[in-house]
Amino acid sequence: MLGVHFAVTAEQERFLLSANDESDIKVGDVLEDIEENWDDGGLSVSSDKAWDEIHRCLSDGSLDPDGGEYPLSHAVLGGRHLHEEYYVVHVTAAEVREVAEALHRVDQVWLRQRFDAMDDADYNGPHDEEDFEYTWENFVDMRKFYERAVKADAR
């Protein structure tokens, strides 16, 4: 599974939040429309497969969306979950600002300590220097994305 974050407009947010699988407007359809018509690369970012490690490092070491402390726990999986079968997570514009501020304080040493401390039985990924560098690079890209989203007043 690959991670992608989108900073949506207020209109896209309303449409996405009104969608559900019991109505004519399905969450998956709205997401597909957003992805196909996306025209601002600066307001999206791929965290590739590093989303897993990033969330674990920023939360309690697990993939529990409620694990860890807010606002860092909301950078990847925390927030309002909009789909039951796969992760589609919504954070409000106010939460985006708070997450961006918290991410700004995370440095490579802190993230490395959290990465080295991961020992959740569910985590089967690599746990070496190369994987940390991959995680750090994707984290930095995600942090820059959050900063751009704040400036754009996006969700």
Side-chain angles (χ1 to χ4, degrees), residues 84-95:
E84 292 180 17
E85 293 179 30
Y86 50 90
Y87 292 117
V88 178
V89 184
H90 171 261
V91 293
T92 66
E95 291 169 330

Side-chain angles (χ1 to χ4, degrees), residues 28-43:
D29 294 339
V30 174
L31 289 176
E32 186 176 318
D33 184 63
I34 289 172
E35 288 183 44
E36 286 179 3
N37 296 303
W38 199 254
D39 63 356
D40 188 352
L43 292 176

Side-chain angles (χ1 to χ4, degrees), residues 9 14 17 24 28 40 43 52 58 63 66 70 73 76 79-80 87 94 103 116 120 127 131 138 140 146-147 154:
T9 65
R14 278 191 299 278
L17 293 177
D24 291 336
D40 188 352
L43 292 176
D52 182 308
L58 297 178
L63 285 183
D66 297 321
Y70 178 82
S73 63
V76 180
R80 180 176 171 190
Y87 292 117
L103 293 176
D116 289 343
D120 187 335
H127 205 94
D131 191 45
N138 279 279
V140 169
Y146 269 97
E147 291 169 1

Side-chain angles (χ1 to χ4, degrees), residues 124-135:
N124 297 321
H127 205 94
D128 56 22
E129 185 63 32
E130 184 178 335
D131 191 45
F132 175 73
E133 289 302 320
Y134 171 76
T135 301

Side-chain angles (χ1 to χ4, degrees), residues 38-84:
W38 199 254
D39 63 356
D40 188 352
L43 292 176
S44 69
V45 68
S46 170
S47 55
D48 201 44
K49 294 178 183 176
W51 67 268
D52 182 308
E53 292 91 338
I54 293 170
H55 179 76
R56 291 173 190 273
C57 289
L58 297 178
S59 67
D60 64 357
S62 75
L63 285 183
D64 181 356
D66 297 321
E69 294 183 29
Y70 178 82
L72 288 178
S73 63
H74 276 52
V76 180
L77 295 181
R80 180 176 171 190
H81 287 250
L82 304 177
H83 202 278
E84 292 180 17

